[in-house]
Amino acid sequence: MNRFGEMHCSIAQAVGVVAEPWTPLILRDLFLGLRRFDELSEDLGISRNLLTQRLDRLQAAGVVEKVVYQERPVRHEYHLTEAGRDIVPALITLMAWGDRWSTPPGGPPAVLVHSCGERFTPRVTCPHCGGPADAETITVVPGPGAAQGPGTMVLAKPD
């Protein structure tokens, strides 16, 4: 078990749930439509034991749900919950970073097409002005949950 859950930081909390090795790829595969345990195991080449552990943790965190698709014998599929679907923009932004900074030989293995029909590269923007939200344009300030503790010394200065 990691210590991220002990840190009073939204990034640390998220990393504790979705950034274990294999977890982003499991989430990617679920987003792409693989639903069954055997499909996930085969596509990723991950051991069944490790896949079970990751899926159990994602279920416990409310990111994935297990749904019965066959009664006799009972068989399950895995679906992204609302929380799981909300991680997709972060996954595609990570994909865009990988496409730019560590592209596999031959170029990006996938391209994104929006519901409008156009290809796109994800960009994080300000919802107020539409400008880019990046290391050069944002400032982080303490929020209502800022508190002293591990991983928070930048935001939670002692009074």
Side-chain angles (χ1 to χ4, degrees), residues 65-119:
E65 63 184 342
K66 197 175 188 178
V67 178
V68 174
Y69 74 88
Q70 179 179 307
E71 293 290 337
R72 297 181 76 185
V74 175
R75 296 187 185 256
H76 298 92
E77 291 183 330
Y78 296 89
H79 294 210
L80 294 175
T81 62
E82 181 180 0
R85 291 185 300 277
D86 276 355
I87 197 74
V88 170
L91 290 174
I92 65 171
T93 301
L94 182 60
M95 179 182 121
W97 184 91
D99 289 347
R100 180 170 180 193
W101 297 104
S102 58
T103 307
V111 294
L112 301 170
V113 179
H114 192 268
S115 60
C116 71
E118 295 295 324
R119 289 181 177 196

Side-chain angles (χ1 to χ4, degrees), residues 111-135:
V111 294
L112 301 170
V113 179
H114 192 268
S115 60
C116 71
E118 295 295 324
R119 289 181 177 196
F120 75 101
T121 298
R123 305 254 188 264
V124 180
T125 60
C126 173
H128 303 285
C129 71
D134 58 27

